[in-house]
């Protein structure tokens, strides 16, 4: 299978046109839960970016040797090894955030985007484009979640990254901290983007 | 030590896992298949049933393997790998058994089974079980309760979507994932009302 | 057959490689992780004993403060942390860790008791898996601060030092605000804290006095 487009195109298409969240609504499970604080979202997204880029390189570098039948197992092994590495690094260098993230770091393993990019792209392409593809997809994903977390933290805690930005008289929206707020925010965000750019995200029905 | 860490009763845990801490509505786990497949009631039921079966069995399996193999060997940090491989191979095994002996059931569940491996809810349940120090019985009940809770959420959303699609006139951008997320948000809000329920028993 | 063998060997080989890689990285960071955990525990102890309520940014500073002001004893298989005053002489308080089953999983806290064992200096909940936004609010300042100054002299009719009841209701000095919407967590906290406090007063305190 030929490489789809130049390196730059591969990198940028994940950001917008092929944005995993806006277009396919994939992979949000592991991160949506921690989007009520910007700092937690940043760390989770950094973890995903690392895992996705590294997994794509590894899967791609091994693509000619991996027997087809066991490729899912091999991919799972590769992905989970990188996730453990991320987990260890967060524990070592960001101990407080590691407590707040709890089990969610481990759940990057089941983030459908990681498996999805390995299967759809890295399995058939050389390492460098695969890495760029993973990087672009992960960045596009992080972009959407960061926007959501900024809105949630501002309305829910009246702060961004822990710095209070709203006046004292501001009534905090408790719902934004809790689960329903995340669902509403993502739903509305997708609605706005799709209404604005209908040609990009036409539903194929 | 006189502190017993396993005071929570099994029935309480079971109902709490379904209603107050619904794995989908409060922990956001299992969202991807939820959004993609909650189009119609029938397939949601099929997928839900498969998930209940797999969550119950894998939480027991993972519990046994974690406490009897990983802990004695001091390999706790490999639990991610172990859990995901157990889940993946269990799903494959179940698929083969069902295909071989229950062909009718296979036609019903068949296409959903492979999707389960990447359902974060399953791995999430195994991870929560370890973090919360559940006993084997608690792990099983928690697995079953969470599976049923997931099934309940996805079938509810599927039926609501069905109604909306046939009657309401939605703005174009909101169709599909947008409205699914908003319905899920409303349900999640509604389920928060259950949080007082558990203490009654 | 040859293919199967290749698959098995291949899987075995890469499992080995990745296990080695992960173990290597873990080994390199193990010390750092353990140090982080120790630092976190020290901060919790210092805060429960009201020695430093602020977070100390420098690890060395916290370490020296801890070494100067905290002594450790073992009584009834339990670690008791003894807080000393500025000169490192007089005892200002005792801290010990307590845990109990919360609504979802274990809750652990550090309890600080005054040097004369008459009242609480503070409580820090440092570990829980309760629902974020509900039960997990036990770690919020307003909840923990309520316990500061609680008298250990009198017990109510059911033998408890304090009760938690819904916010907004009529309060006495040993009745604190529970967390709205998290009755399960509040009940659990009330139960195990009272049990641990009784244990301290009835069994640990006499031994501590005898020793010092």
């Amino acid at each position: 299978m030929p490489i789809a487009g130049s390196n730059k195109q591969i990198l940028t298409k994940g950001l917008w046109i092929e944005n995993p969240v806006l277009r396919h609504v994939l992979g949000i499970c592991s991160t949506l839960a921690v989007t009520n604080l910007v700092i937690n979202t940043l760390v989770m997204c950094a973890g995903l970016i690392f895992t996705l880029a590294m997994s794509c390189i590894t899967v791609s570098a091994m693509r000619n040797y991996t027997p087809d039948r066991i490729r899912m197992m091999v991919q799972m092994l590769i992905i989970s090894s990188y996730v453990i590495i991320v987990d260890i690094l967060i524990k070592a260098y960001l101990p407080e955030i590691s407590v707040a993230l709890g089990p969610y770091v481990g759940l990057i393993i089941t983030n459908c985007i990681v498996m999805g990019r390995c299967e759809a792209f890295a399995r058939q392409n050389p390492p460098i484009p695969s890495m760029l593809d993973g990087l672009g997809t992960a960045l596009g994903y992080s972009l959407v979640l960061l926007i959501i977390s900024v809105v949630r933290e501002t309305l829910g805690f009246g702060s961004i990254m822990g710095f209070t930005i709203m006046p004292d008289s501001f009534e905090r929206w408790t719902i934004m901290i809790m689960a329903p707020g995340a669902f509403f925010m993502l739903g509305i965000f997708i609605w706005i983007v799709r209404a604005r750019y209908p040609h990009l995200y036409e539903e194929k029905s | 030590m006189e502190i017993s860490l396993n005071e929570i009763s099994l029935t309480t845990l079971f109902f709490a896992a379904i209603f107050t801490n619904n794995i989908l509505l409060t922990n956001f786990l299992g969202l991807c298949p939820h959004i993609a497949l909650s189009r119609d009631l029938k397939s949601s039921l099929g997928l839900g049933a498969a998930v209940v079966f797999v969550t119950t069995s894998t939480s027991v399996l993972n519990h046994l393997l974690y406490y009897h193999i990983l802990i004695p060997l001091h390999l706790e940090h490999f639990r991610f790998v172990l859990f995901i491989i157990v889940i993946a191979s269990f799903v494959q095994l179940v698929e083969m058994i069902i295909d071989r002996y229950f062909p009718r059931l296979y036609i019903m569940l068949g296409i959903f089974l492979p999707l389960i491996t990447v359902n974060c809810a399953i791995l999430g349940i195994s991870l929560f079980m370890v973090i919360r120090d559940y006993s084997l019985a608690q792990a099983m009940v928690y697995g079953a309760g969470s599976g049923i809770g997931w099934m309940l959420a996805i079938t509810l959303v599927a039926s609501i979507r069905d109604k909306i699609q046939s009657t309401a006139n939605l703005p174009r951008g909101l169709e599909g994932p947008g409205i699914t997320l908003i319905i899920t948000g409303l349900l999640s809000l509604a389920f928060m009302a259950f949080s007082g329920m558990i203490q009654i028993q | 057959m040859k293919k199967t063998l290749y698959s098995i060997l291949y899987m075995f080989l890469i499992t080995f490689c990745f296990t080695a890689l992960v173990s290597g990285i873990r080994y390199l960071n193990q010390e750092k992780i353990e140090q982080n955990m120790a630092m976190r525990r020290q901060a919790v102890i210092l805060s429960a004993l009201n020695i430093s309520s602020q977070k100390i940014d420098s690890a060395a500073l916290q370490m020296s403060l801890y070494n100067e002001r905290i002594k450790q004893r073992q009584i009834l298989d339990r670690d008791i942390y003894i807080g000393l005053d500025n000169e490192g002489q007089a005892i200002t308080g005792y801290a010990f860790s307590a845990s109990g089953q919360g609504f979802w999983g274990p809750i652990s806290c550090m309890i600080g008791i005054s040097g004369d064992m008459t009242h609480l200096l503070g409580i820090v909940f440092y570990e829980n898996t309760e629902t974020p936004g509900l039960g997990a609010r036990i770690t919020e300042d307003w909840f923990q601060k309520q316990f500061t100054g609680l008298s250990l002299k009198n017990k109510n009719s059911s033998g408890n030092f304090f009760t938690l009841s819904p916010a907004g209701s009529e309060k006495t000095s040993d009745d604190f605000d529970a967390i709205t919407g998290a009755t399960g967590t509040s009940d659990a906290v009330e139960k195990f804290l009272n049990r641990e406090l009784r244990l301290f007063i009835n069994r640990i305190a006499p031994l501590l006095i005898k020793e010092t």
Side-chain angles (χ1 to χ4, degrees):
Chain A
M1 196 177 144
I3 305 162
S6 73
N7 283 353
K8 201 177 156 212
Q9 276 172 324
I10 294 171
L11 183 64
T12 47
K13 78 178 190 314
L15 281 178
W16 189 242
I17 302 170
E18 286 283 329
N19 187 297
V21 181
L22 298 176
R23 195 178 174 89
H24 309 289
V25 200
L26 278 183
I28 42 185
C29 342
S30 53
T31 316
L32 204 52
V34 296
T35 52
N36 52 8
L37 286 174
V38 178
I39 184 81
N40 293 353
T41 316
L42 268 177
V43 175
M44 272 299 274
C45 289
L48 181 86
I49 293 170
F50 172 81
T51 311
L52 188 47
M54 292 308 284
S55 304
C56 282
I57 291 189
T58 318
V59 167
S60 164
M62 291 169 33
R63 71 188 188 285
N64 294 330
Y65 312 101
T66 310
D68 220 30
R69 275 194 313 170
I70 57 163
R71 68 162 200 281
M72 294 283 240
M73 287 286 225
V74 172
Q75 286 173 8
M76 280 291 181
L77 183 78
I78 294 170
I79 296 168
S80 38
S81 303
Y82 284 122
V83 173
I84 298 176
I85 293 174
V86 169
D87 191 44
I88 293 172
L89 293 179
I90 293 180
K91 271 198 187 118
Y93 298 100
L94 300 164
E96 274 158 47
I97 291 172
S98 131
V99 177
L101 293 180
Y104 287 98
V105 178
L107 290 171
I108 296 178
I109 299 171
T110 46
N111 191 317
C112 336
I113 297 177
V114 187
M115 265 300 242
R117 288 334 288 172
C118 289
E119 271 286 290
F121 196 93
R123 198 157 64 87
Q124 290 138 338
N125 289 290
I128 297 296
S130 298
M131 189 198 80
L132 292 174
D133 172 75
L135 211 57
T137 312
L139 285 173
Y141 171 87
S142 311
L143 183 75
V144 175
L145 286 167
L146 273 178
I147 293 173
I148 289 176
S149 70
V150 167
V151 177
R152 281 185 77 188
E153 190 176 336
T154 312
L155 295 177
F157 292 98
S159 62
I160 288 180
M161 301 277 288
F163 294 108
T164 313
I165 52 159
M166 295 303 235
D168 281 346
S169 57
F170 174 73
E171 182 71 37
R172 292 173 176 194
W173 300 21
T174 316
I175 187 156
M176 276 297 158
I177 307 170
M178 294 194 280
F183 288 117
F184 291 142
M185 271 304 304
L186 187 62
I188 292 168
F189 193 75
I190 289 177
W191 180 15
I192 293 172
V193 173
R194 289 195 172 192
R196 208 69 231 257
Y197 308 98
H199 54 285
L200 276 184
Y201 306 110
E202 253 336 66
E203 283 267 293
K204 286 162 270 162
S205 51
Chain B
M1 218 153 84
E2 57 183 309
I3 309 162
S4 123
L5 282 179
N6 293 317
E7 292 157 7
I8 192 162
S9 89
L10 294 182
T11 24
T12 312
L13 185 64
F14 182 70
F15 286 106
I18 299 179
F19 295 109
T20 56
N21 258 45
N22 188 291
I23 191 101
L24 178 75
L25 298 176
T26 58
N27 290 326
F28 306 94
L29 297 176
L31 264 178
C32 315
H34 166 74
I35 286 164
L37 290 162
S38 61
R39 280 176 218 282
D40 65 298
L41 191 56
K42 234 182 130 190
S43 48
S44 316
L45 270 175
L47 180 63
V51 166
V52 173
F53 180 64
V54 175
T55 50
T56 317
S57 327
T58 53
S59 56
V60 170
L61 270 177
N62 282 338
H63 190 279
L64 290 173
L65 290 172
Y66 183 73
Y67 286 99
H68 297 285
I69 294 181
L70 287 196
I71 296 247
L73 293 175
H74 298 291
L75 287 173
E76 292 95 328
H77 56 289
F78 279 105
R79 62 176 184 272
F80 296 156
V81 181
L82 177 89
F83 289 174
I84 197 72
I85 286 179
V86 166
I87 292 166
S89 29
F90 183 77
V91 169
Q92 204 126 62
L93 188 78
V94 170
E95 201 181 340
M96 283 184 333
I97 293 173
I98 294 184
D99 184 21
R100 182 90 199 265
Y101 297 103
F102 309 96
R104 280 187 60 194
L105 188 68
Y106 184 73
I107 295 166
M108 249 171 66
L109 291 181
I111 48 162
F112 299 118
L113 282 168
L115 286 171
I116 291 178
T117 314
V118 282
N119 186 337
C120 4
I122 319 260
L123 182 68
I125 288 166
S126 290
L127 292 179
F128 278 128
M129 160 196 98
V130 169
I131 291 178
R132 292 174 181 160
D133 279 339
Y134 285 154
S135 68
L136 186 61
Q138 280 175 322
M140 192 180 90
V141 166
Y142 178 68
S146 297
I148 294 170
W150 193 84
M151 180 176 169
L152 182 69
I154 185 174
T155 47
L156 276 174
V157 171
S159 10
I160 296 172
R161 261 180 89 172
D162 235 19
K163 267 275 190 295
I164 286 182
Q165 231 108 46
S166 55
T167 54
N169 198 0
L170 284 178
R172 250 173 85 206
L174 195 57
E175 278 170 16
I179 191 69
T180 312
L181 281 164
I182 298 205
I183 296 171
T184 314
L186 287 171
L187 262 185
S188 155
L189 203 56
F191 267 57
M192 276 164 64
F194 284 121
S195 57
M197 186 189 78
I198 298 301
Q199 274 70 54
I200 296 168
Q201 25 196 326
Chain C
M1 201 60 230
K2 215 176 158 194
K3 258 186 173 164
T4 318
L5 196 70
Y6 174 73
S7 295
I8 293 172
L9 270 178
Y10 184 83
M11 192 72 206
F12 190 76
L13 193 74
I14 69 155
T15 311
F16 182 78
C17 292
F18 277 95
T19 313
L21 177 72
V22 170
S23 300
I25 290 183
R26 190 180 145 80
Y27 179 75
L28 289 176
N29 288 289
Q30 187 68 23
E31 206 175 317
K32 181 106 184 128
I33 293 175
E34 273 162 15
Q35 196 199 336
N36 283 335
M37 282 159 73
M39 292 298 295
R40 192 159 169 263
R41 193 166 176 84
Q42 288 185 1
V44 164
I45 294 167
L46 288 172
S47 170
L49 284 170
N50 221 352
I51 292 179
S52 76
S53 50
Q54 245 73 52
K55 192 182 151 6
I56 302 170
D57 284 321
S58 143
L61 218 66
Q62 182 184 313
M63 189 79 84
S64 72
L65 183 68
Y66 184 87
N67 287 339
E68 263 169 44
R69 305 279 301 268
I70 307 285
K71 293 266 170 307
Q72 197 176 332
R73 287 263 185 297
Q74 260 216 335
I75 291 186
L76 292 176
D77 287 337
R78 288 208 170 203
D79 289 324
I80 309 285
Y81 305 92
I82 302 174
L84 306 170
D85 66 356
N86 268 329
E87 282 83 45
Q89 299 297 320
I91 292 173
T92 57
Y94 303 94
F96 61 101
S97 150
S99 26
Q101 174 72 19
F103 188 62
W104 282 106
I107 297 179
S108 301
C109 65
M110 186 63 68
I111 305 178
I113 288 178
S114 66
D116 53 4
M117 299 184 195
T118 54
H119 62 275
L120 281 188
L121 290 176
I123 284 186
V124 180
F125 291 92
Y126 61 87
E127 200 179 276
N128 75 82
T129 52
E130 305 303 289
T131 318
L134 287 172
R137 294 182 65 200
I138 51 172
T139 58
E140 288 180 9
D141 250 5
W142 68 269
F143 186 77
Q144 296 184 160
K145 282 265 155 56
Q146 296 187 108
F147 294 95
T148 309
L150 170 69
S151 163
L152 297 175
K153 287 272 176 234
N154 17 10
K155 290 185 220 175
N156 63 18
S157 48
S158 42
N160 285 341
F161 295 98
F162 72 96
T163 47
L164 289 172
S165 53
S169 59
E170 212 45 46
K171 291 283 184 309
T172 50
S173 63
D174 57 355
D175 192 14
F176 304 132
D177 283 348
I179 291 161
T180 317
T183 325
T185 307
S186 303
D187 284 352
V189 166
E190 183 184 305
K191 202 166 133 195
F192 88 78
L193 273 185
N194 274 306
R195 184 189 61 209
E196 293 292 312
L197 287 174
R198 272 196 300 273
L199 175 86
F200 181 84
I201 293 294
N202 297 341
R203 296 184 49 199
I204 297 176
L207 292 172
L208 264 175
I209 293 168
K210 210 189 296 170
E211 209 176 277
T212 46

